[in-house]
Amino acid sequence: MDTILLAFYSALLLCAAYASVNGGRTGKAGSAIFIVASISTVAAAQMNPSWAGTSLGLFAVDAGCLLALLILALMSNRFWPIWALGFQIVAVATHLATLYIPDVVPKSFQALLSFWAIPILWVMVAGTHKDRQYEIGLERRSRA
């Protein structure tokens, strides 16, 4: 396994653990979505490992993740799922672009899809942290 992939999976597990412990139902659901999407991405990438043109397997995984994040954003009272949804929309739009521009440069396609995985994790952790700070502040005010 290459170093970048190992670093991503380490970050994924740390971010998912943090959100699961501190983020309540939304954090647990978001963590599950990102872990399932990451595992599914590995399987889908093996179906079409060339990155030359649209990978229907990766498109299906990203579209499924988009749907899951949409449901999470609609069902949650947290803001971070909306931001994560926005990043995922860009990833799905990249797939749609490759349907219309099939001769896309493989390295560019891979970079465009892979890039959004990091901001999505950051948004989940930062949003969970802000939500937790807000809840702690409410608890302190209610005790005073």
Side-chain angles (χ1 to χ4, degrees), residues 37-106:
S38 296
I39 292 168
S40 300
T41 296
V42 171
Q46 290 175 352
M47 291 173 20
N48 183 12
S50 72
W51 292 96
T54 304
S55 168
L56 295 179
L58 288 174
F59 183 47
V61 169
D62 282 342
C65 184
L66 177 71
L67 180 62
L69 286 171
L70 175 64
I71 293 167
L72 181 62
L74 291 172
M75 302 296 287
S76 175
N77 63 352
R78 307 297 185 202
F79 289 110
W80 72 260
I82 298 169
W83 286 89
L85 178 65
F87 290 138
Q88 192 62 29
I89 287 170
V90 175
V92 171
T94 302
H95 287 289
L96 294 173
T98 63
L99 290 172
Y100 293 104
I101 309 168
D103 56 340
V104 67
V105 177

Side-chain angles (χ1 to χ4, degrees), residues 2 39 48 80 85 113 124 141-142:
D2 86 354
I39 292 168
N48 183 12
W80 72 260
L85 178 65
L113 283 180
M124 179 175 67
R141 279 184 240 136
S142 69

